[in-house]
Amino acid sequence: MNSLNLALRRRLIETIGRIAGMPEVSAIVLVGAGGVFSAGADIGEFDTQQAFVEPSIHAVMAAVESSTKPVIAGIEGLAMGGGLELAMAAHCRVAMAGSRIALPEIKLGLIPGAGGTQRLPRAIGLEAAARMICNGDPVRADAPSLAGLFDLVVEQDLLEACLGLAQRIVRDGMKASLLRDRAMPAPASPLFYQELEQRAGSKGQWPAAVNACIACLRAAEAMPVEAGLAFEREAFMKLFDSPVSGALRHAFIAERTAAKIAGLPVQTGIRPLRAAAVVGAGTMGAGIAMTFANAGIPVRLLEMKEDALERGLAVIRANYEGSVRRGKLSRADCDQRLALIRPTLSYEELRDADVVVEAVYEDMDAKAGVFRQLDTFCKPGAILASNTSTLNLDKLAAVTSRPADVVGMHFFVPANVMPLLEVVKARETSAEVLASVMKLAKRLKKTGVVSGVCDGFIGNRMIDPYLRQAYFLLEEGALPEQIDRALEAWGMAMGPFRAGDLTGLDVLWSVRKRRYVEVPGVVYSRLPDRLCELGRFGQKTGAGYYRYEPGAREGKPDDAVRALVEGYSAEIGRARRQISDEEIVSRCMLALVNEGAAILDERIAQRASDIDAVYLLGYGFPAFRGGPMYYADTLGLREVIASMARFQEQAGSDPAFWQPHRLLLELAESNGTFN
Ligand SMILES: NC(=O)c1ccc[n+]([C@@H]2O[C@H](COP(=O)([O-])OP(=O)(O)OC[C@H]3O[C@@H](n4cnc5c(N)ncnc54)[C@H](O)[C@@H]3O)[C@@H](O)[C@H]2O)c1
């Protein structure tokens, strides 16, 4: 991707310097190898401080701008962030029509730090530049709004076009001026800046970064270019040091690091996965089949009975048709995807599948039956995956004659939308199968995170203590709407009670009932069971922690729930008290953190940032807080332990709950961090 890391910056400086001294050279063409100009800064370098080691990106740009020989940047593929800023330092730019350019720094809570806010408005005007900087999305090079940025946009033969332009400059005397020397466009209307300010804080628009962008654009209007560049640099560094940007950068890296499988032997092969199958066409199976079809992979969808199959297909059709109606999918793509999903009632038809995902009822006998059939009918080398949320994958693998081919693929609902895939490594799963499924995850446009086998894997195992705290808070004095409001105001996409109403409280109840038997020592509030005993299962029954008007998805606080909660506190002899939002957030978060420490210590997760990735991608954890483990790191692990000790001493608390995990204690002791 030609990231502008230290090695590449050194080579650029050295090469430009060397070429500048060659009398036989009269112009320099800068193009990217591998079909990509440059994806910009190496984000991983930021936190090692190498990004600021000289030669910095500014030094490279200075070398380009001060070159006595005209430099022509030839852009294809991508020119992002610092890559685009480098191109903007050149004397001329040529782009392939389909290449995409962006200044995506805002997504990391930053602004362009290498002249983007000063040079881009000089090329395309203030409004268009502000839009690109504040939303960070890529724009095609042939978009009319970019006309002022490129000297030439071509369909093919980029290098030839660059050389042609060089000749026109050198031989024909064509004038090529640096963007920094161009006049600033007319000032933007104050209304325009007001609009930008108002948008700050909406999805992905970090207020501090938007405000910094506005300040830099105003500086570009008001100051000489050199002063504007210095102003931008200072604003960038201020954002860079902010907690929001630190967390967003961590989230960015965590999601990318998750793809790396720790300890994978170098020669591990990857199985070609050309055809897939899904067993069970219920909520998950239908979504998983769509996920394969969306990636262009043909998929057999197997059910036991015709009517169940028809129901599943109807759901799939309705989903795609909805996308066509909303203009998100073309009719042709819809038809193509539907044609890739081929229904069947016979295991015989799964013979060609390279990977099969089982998504039948969460019942060991039902799943074992399916795996025996798969073992009989699937070809040797087929990957046999289960979407189980809680069942022991090792036991499932043991019913087959090929446990090395068995793996967990834990999708999240809706499977065709949610970006997370927990890839569960069972005791005997081979490295090849694990690596193949992690690669498949990428093709399916999911972030695969490796998890070991345990009850609930990474995500759901951690949600259990989080929910237990939420239920204890109800007993002690809070109401569902207060807890939801506190956590949502803190940044969670959805509070635990609204989320429970959506998932189905019966589903959570059945998990608890199993755990009451399997782990009798763990203390649960029985309050949520009371609600379920009343048949209040959430949205699907019109009532859960909230009351739902017919057809409404937004619940309303319910006096009946309040009475139930208060009655329950009285019944167990708990004097209700006022609980602060701060305590709510702290208890729910530290519950996640302590379980995360256990998961890390038991090597269920490969690294702390994988746990963060799971929560960011699958559980609506706010990116600007970086994930639960990163959040704990920012609090300081000693502070985490001190808070846990305070909670432990509170009247009525379960002391075992707040026992800090060994790893947490050890890290705090050594002033360490999870990440
Ligand atoms: N719903 C979720 O939120 C969620 C999330 C992640 C994982 N899961 C897991 O996914 C699996 C399926 O869950 P779901 O919510 O889709 O259930 P579901 O009840 O909606 O669907 C199960 C489907 O499997 C079919 N089926 C049952 N036995 C079968 C068999 N022997 N052969 C073929 N088809 C069979 C049923 O007819 C039904 O259509 C479970 O293991 C569940 O734990 C569910």
Side-chain angles (χ1 to χ4, degrees), residues 278-288 302-305 307-309 311-312 344-345 347 358-363 365-367 369-370 373 386-391 409-415 457 460 503 507:
V278 175
V279 182
T283 310
M284 294 309 288
I288 297 167
L302 183 141
E303 264 285 346
M304 283 181 299
K305 298 209 180 88
D307 58 339
L309 197 51
R311 260 198 314 276
T344 180
L345 295 170
Y347 278 92
E358 166 280 312
V360 305
Y361 305 131
E362 188 73 343
D363 174 272
D365 290 340
K367 289 193 190 284
V370 170
Q373 296 276 24
S386 173
N387 182 44
T388 181
S389 311
T390 50
L391 298 175
M409 286 177 75
H410 186 225
F411 288 85
F412 287 73
V413 73
F457 311 127
N460 285 344
T503 310
V507 178

Side-chain angles (χ1 to χ4, degrees), residues 308-320:
L309 197 51
E310 241 339 291
R311 260 198 314 276
L313 286 171
V315 167
I316 292 173
R317 267 188 230 112
N319 200 310
Y320 279 137

Side-chain angles (χ1 to χ4, degrees), residues 175-304:
K175 193 124 185 59
S177 63
L178 293 170
L179 283 180
R180 61 183 290 146
D181 297 331
R182 284 199 204 166
M184 266 302 285
S189 105
L191 273 182
F192 173 70
Y193 286 126
Q194 260 175 37
E195 266 171 41
L196 276 187
E197 269 162 16
Q198 278 160 9
R199 279 219 317 257
S202 60
K203 197 168 179 288
Q205 305 233 320
W206 306 103
V210 171
N211 289 330
C213 168
I214 293 171
C216 288
L217 292 175
R218 288 198 153 126
E221 286 187 37
M223 297 178 184
V225 68
E226 219 32 71
L229 288 168
F231 184 92
E232 179 200 77
R233 232 161 134 168
E234 200 174 309
F236 174 89
M237 286 315 295
K238 214 157 134 198
L239 290 170
F240 185 85
D241 291 334
S242 70
V244 167
S245 177
L248 291 169
R249 294 196 310 269
H250 171 76
F252 180 90
I253 292 170
E255 289 170 20
R256 278 148 190 83
T257 308
K260 297 187 184 132
I261 306 172
L264 192 73
V266 190
Q267 288 101 349
T268 306
I270 298 284
R271 294 189 191 171
L273 303 178
R274 295 187 194 95
V278 175
V279 182
T283 310
M284 294 309 288
I288 297 167
M290 290 174 72
T291 305
F292 280 110
N294 294 348
I297 301 172
V299 53
R300 288 270 179 201
L301 182 58
L302 183 141
E303 264 285 346
M304 283 181 299

Side-chain angles (χ1 to χ4, degrees), residues 13 82 105 145 148 187 191 205 268 308 322 374 379 421 452 506 562 568:
I13 285 270
E105 289 82 354
S145 61
L191 273 182
Q205 305 233 320
T268 306
L374 296 178
K379 65 182 178 190
L421 179 69
D506 52 331
R562 183 188 192 107
Y568 187 80

Side-chain angles (χ1 to χ4, degrees), residues 19 36 76 78 112 119 133 147 170 202 314 323 326 380 382 388 391 398 416 443 531 533 584 587 595 630 640-641:
I19 296 176
V36 167
E76 71 177 319
L78 285 178
R119 291 187 182 88
I133 296 168
V170 174
S202 60
S323 301
R326 289 192 304 277
T388 181
L391 298 175
N416 53 315
R443 265 176 87 193
L531 207 70
E533 284 157 11
I584 291 171
R587 282 172 56 176
E595 196 65 34
Y630 180 85
V640 166
I641 288 173

